[in-house]
Amino acid sequence: MPETTRILLVEDHPLIRAGCRRLLAQRRNFDLQEADRGLAALELNKRHRPDILLLDLDLPDGNGLDLMPQLVADNAPVRIIILSMYGDSGRVSRALAKGAKGYVTKNDDPAAILTAIDKVLEGEVYLGQTVAQALALTQLQPETPGLAELGEREKAILDGLGDGKSLAEIAADLGVTYKTVANAAGLLKSKLRIRTSAALVKFAVERKSA
């Protein structure tokens, strides 16, 4: 563990930032920088090159997950720990797939942040108690027939439906026509053995919140 550990906290809520600041102040070797926006986080990440980056997912100017590739590209050694209100298995899996080394929810014991930093600096992956329980429950549930067969575009459409987006909004996000998305939604129903569009939307929402 380095003598000084540079930490960048990316969080837009002042009260949560203040709480994290007090918690991290317990360690004299922590050098803390703070950002309340994604753009500020990108700039501080390049300038100060933190060892640990505590990243909220819901920022005023974007999604923390979308920032991760650029943060790592600008500072390859950085270890990202997600600090979020949400601990559902879908978000956790996507964060880990993008390279996060830790995931702590704001419902966990505050000391979990310090534990996460210690474990991640030692080269381990750390999941807070809330997240670990969510993943364990997901692994106990049988996989929906056909889910493993979906392509990347189909998964993106399913994610969009789970976020409450219309087919037109999903088409705009993906840069394709409405007809392309509508046809893909029809194939999704067939692959997942779901009869109606309403049932498909219900499945997508439940999958995102699982």
Side-chain angles (χ1 to χ4, degrees):
M1 191 178 296
E3 280 190 22
T4 298
T5 299
R6 297 182 301 275
I7 297 178
L8 173 58
L9 171 64
V10 185
E11 167 62 59
D12 63 309
H13 290 92
L15 283 175
I16 295 176
R17 267 205 325 276
C20 289
R21 193 183 305 128
R22 287 193 297 271
L23 179 71
L24 297 172
Q26 297 176 22
R27 302 285 186 86
R28 293 184 177 180
N29 66 316
F30 284 176
D31 176 12
L32 178 63
Q33 300 286 332
E34 301 176 27
D36 63 357
R37 296 288 190 280
L39 287 176
L42 291 171
E43 177 60 31
L44 286 170
N45 180 56
K46 285 193 291 187
R47 189 190 313 160
H48 294 287
R49 301 184 65 81
D51 305 296
I52 295 288
L53 198 153
L54 297 170
L55 179 64
D56 188 12
L57 293 184
D58 296 316
L59 298 169
D61 57 351
N63 187 307
L65 287 178
D66 295 334
L67 290 177
M68 288 179 60
Q70 189 61 52
L71 290 167
V72 174
D74 292 338
N75 181 16
V78 70
R79 297 171 176 91
I80 297 176
I81 298 172
I82 302 299
L83 178 61
S84 175
M85 282 293 297
Y86 307 102
D88 58 273
S89 59
R91 282 187 177 87
V92 177
S93 297
R94 288 194 293 276
L96 295 177
K98 284 180 174 285
K101 301 302 182 184
Y103 199 117
V104 177
T105 75
K106 295 171 185 178
N107 292 321
D108 285 319
D109 187 311
I113 295 175
L114 295 176
T115 303
I117 292 172
D118 291 341
K119 294 295 184 184
V120 166
L121 286 173
E122 292 169 1
E124 300 180 29
V125 172
Y126 180 84
L127 301 179
Q129 184 177 5
T130 304
V131 169
Q133 288 175 346
L135 288 179
L137 287 173
T138 300
Q139 291 169 359
L140 291 174
Q141 296 171 353
E143 186 175 356
T144 302
L147 196 57
E149 302 170 11
L150 301 185
E152 290 303 313
R153 177 176 290 178
E154 290 170 322
K155 290 178 181 177
I157 292 171
L158 199 60
D159 285 342
L161 291 173
D163 289 331
K165 294 181 179 180
S166 67
L167 294 184
E169 289 172 324
I170 295 170
D173 288 344
L174 298 178
V176 298
T177 65
Y178 173 88
K179 185 176 180 181
T180 297
V181 174
N183 289 340
L187 289 174
L188 274 172
K189 287 187 287 185
S190 176
K191 288 185 177 182
L192 298 174
R193 303 177 193 175
I194 294 174
R195 292 184 178 181
T196 67
S197 296
L200 178 63
V201 171
K202 181 175 181 291
F203 170 80
V205 171
E206 290 176 346
R207 175 174 174 266
K208 291 281 289 207
S209 60

